Amino acid sequence: MNTDVVLAAMSAVEMREGFADGSLSPVEVHDAVQVIIEAREPVLNAFWRRDAESSRTQAKASEKRWTQGEPLGPIDGVPVTLKENIARAGVPMPSGTAGVIPTVPERDSPITERVVQSGGVVLGSTVMPDWGMLSSGVSSLHGITRSPWDPSLTTGGSSAGAGAAAAAGYGPLHVGTDIGGSIRLPGTWLGLTTLKPSLGRVPLDSPYPGRSAGPLCRSADDVALLMSIIAGFDPRDWTALPPADIAWNDLRFDPRGLKVGLQVDAGCGLPVDDEVRATVEHAATVFRDAGAMVDPLEPFISPTMLDELDTFWRVRSWHDYHRLSSEQKLKVLPFIVQWVHGGADVPGARVLECYQTIMTMQHATVAATERFDLVLSPVAPMMAFAAEWPMPFGTADLGMAHIGFTAPYNMSGQPAASVNAGFSQDGRAIGVQISGRRFDDLGVVRAARWFEHHRPEAARPNWPIHSSEQETNR
């Protein structure tokens, strides 16, 4: 196999071990990853801003530290990408839309600071769709981001660039954000292991109800490693959880005796595809056969809850859109323009009703799942769709009919991971969502790692990492 591919396909854990024993150089890894990026980026379109010269300088500094036996931290020398809405000092933040004058932050976000302080080699900022309100890689500013598995298919979104970068081998560690599924949706459609952490576990510059930041990786080991860096208290996030001593390096897990819920009907939104349902049910069988007590979990949110969450988000985005000049409005993605107009004339009392419904969803999610250690479900009711579609239903306006399984855990603040559980007959990845009790991020990552090692052999991704322009399917 091509040496560049071998190095780019390594996990962060493997890279760190190689750096420590001197068998691997951060510069060697960086240059190999750049070969992959140069070959694939013209098609995949994962980056908003990338500076290979700057990142190579970072890699050379890391190489010197390792040679001197003085690494800054556990990810010193490991390539990392950050979603464009994660502030990097001096790097414009357009939120995926051509309709705004981008904010240029003067200071790194808490996440960026921690990655840099640990020696991570920041390759650049990855793209997102307009305002992060699409579950695809379609953006008025960036164009279309495509799946490394098959460029005709979506990456999912809104952490579209992060997902594409992870699956394609642009380094092993990638940080995205998630307000209703934006980490886990790329996870399921790209075969990744991801984590939407508990609300407040990873500090943000601008917290918002339901919003989290977390890892998109090719393994749970790397998810845990990245969480050990980016999790923790920061006073800039007024929702941040207090400091906690979490043993991210201890991923031992025994499913025997655990209470596991199996939910295959969200109670709202689009119906679940038969192959998705069968894959998730088989994942539950893997836990059951290992001694877990698996019981069905009936739907606990309603179509009204999902519709009113959608209305609340439309009003918020309408507020952003309405403030733009006439010229700027013409640059926003037409699908988003249509969607935000659904929030144009919503009375204040109605907005408050929607907010109260979100609180009802939060209560319903915690109450329904409290008796389980873990809950298994689909991530999305469908598999990856056409890359050109802004949503899984094309250009139709069906609101948020695809996030009935993911959004509840954003509202409740519970941790939820995605792990590849199989492939469809035509080769598309299908993930299972593993959610846990509030604040049990480590338990969820442990379960994800255990499942990675016990899932069927056919469910293990053969990552589409290569250094030529020839696109390959699984």
Side-chain angles (χ1 to χ4, degrees), residues 306-316 343 346 350 354:
L306 199 59
D307 289 345
E308 297 198 350
L309 175 64
D310 175 60
T311 298
F312 187 81
W313 284 345
R314 289 184 197 238
V315 172
R316 183 197 64 173
V346 179
R350 176 66 179 142
C354 292

Side-chain angles (χ1 to χ4, degrees), residues 84 93-103 130-131 140-141 320-321 323-325 327-329 331-332:
E84 71 175 85
M93 300 171 64
S95 296
T97 179
V100 303
I101 299 173
T103 299
D130 291 55
W131 286 309
S140 61
L141 177 63
D320 293 333
Y321 175 80
R323 290 183 298 174
L324 301 178
S325 68
E327 183 179 352
Q328 288 175 309
K329 288 176 181 176
K331 297 178 181 179
V332 177

Side-chain angles (χ1 to χ4, degrees), residues 47-382:
F47 277 108
W48 155 234
R49 287 294 174 91
R50 176 170 76 96
D51 185 341
E53 183 177 344
S54 172
S55 56
R56 195 170 198 272
T57 298
Q58 296 171 50
K60 289 175 71 175
S62 174
E63 182 178 65
K64 183 177 180 180
R65 290 192 294 269
W66 279 108
T67 300
Q68 296 173 341
E70 299 175 347
L72 290 177
I75 62 169
D76 201 334
V78 178
V80 183
T81 74
L82 304 171
K83 191 174 176 180
E84 71 175 85
N85 61 348
I86 297 171
R88 298 169 58 212
V91 178
M93 300 171 64
S95 296
T97 179
V100 303
I101 299 173
T103 299
V104 182
E106 297 181 356
R107 180 181 177 181
D108 287 342
S109 69
I111 292 170
T112 304
E113 282 186 357
R114 291 174 183 186
V115 168
V116 172
Q117 290 168 359
S118 190
V121 175
V122 179
L123 300 179
S125 299
T126 54
V127 299
M128 59 190 283
D130 291 55
W131 286 309
M133 296 312 298
L134 296 176
S135 298
S136 69
V138 179
S139 161
S140 61
L141 177 63
H142 308 304
I144 298 172
T145 303
R146 298 178 180 276
S147 169
W149 292 95
D150 179 347
S152 72
L153 296 177
T154 189
T155 55
S158 64
S159 301
Y170 293 11
L173 302 179
H174 309 270
V175 184
T177 61
D178 188 319
I179 196 172
S182 291
I183 289 174
R184 291 155 290 163
L185 293 172
T188 190
W189 293 325
L190 293 170
L192 303 169
T193 299
T194 73
L195 176 67
K196 180 210 74 68
S198 295
L199 183 67
R201 180 70 69 202
V202 176
L204 303 172
D205 273 333
S206 301
Y208 184 85
R211 179 175 289 147
S212 296
L216 296 91
C217 302
R218 297 188 297 272
S219 72
D221 286 317
D222 281 358
V223 166
L225 177 60
L226 187 50
M227 284 297 293
S228 76
I229 303 301
I230 64 175
F233 177 78
D234 189 291
R236 282 174 283 177
D237 185 340
W238 53 90
T239 68
L241 296 176
D245 186 12
I246 300 175
W248 294 108
N249 61 341
D250 181 1
L251 298 181
R252 292 172 293 177
F253 180 81
D254 187 348
R256 288 177 294 182
L258 289 184
K259 297 178 181 178
V260 176
L262 172 61
Q263 184 188 20
V264 291
D265 179 4
C268 58
L270 295 171
V272 175
D273 180 274
D274 289 343
E275 287 188 88
V276 173
R277 178 189 295 267
T279 300
V280 171
E281 289 176 339
H282 190 270
T285 300
V286 174
F287 280 85
R288 182 184 291 113
D289 289 347
M293 298 179 290
V294 179
D295 290 313
L297 173 60
E298 298 303 318
F300 52 84
I301 67 170
S302 67
T304 297
M305 291 181 188
L306 199 59
D307 289 345
E308 297 198 350
L309 175 64
D310 175 60
T311 298
F312 187 81
W313 284 345
R314 289 184 197 238
V315 172
R316 183 197 64 173
S317 293
W318 168 258
H319 178 68
D320 293 333
Y321 175 80
H322 184 65
R323 290 183 298 174
L324 301 178
S325 68
S326 298
E327 183 179 352
Q328 288 175 309
K329 288 176 181 176
L330 293 174
K331 297 178 181 179
V332 177
L333 195 75
F335 182 91
I336 288 292
V337 173
Q338 173 189 338
W339 179 75
V340 300
H341 271 82
D345 300 313
V346 179
R350 176 66 179 142
V351 175
L352 183 58
E353 285 179 1
C354 292
Y355 181 76
Q356 290 171 331
T357 298
I358 293 171
M359 298 302 98
T360 301
M361 181 189 293
Q362 178 183 43
H363 174 264
T365 305
V366 173
T369 60
E370 185 179 13
R371 62 190 173 99
F372 296 108
D373 297 294
L374 302 166
V375 173
L376 308 180
S377 73
V379 178
M382 71 290 294

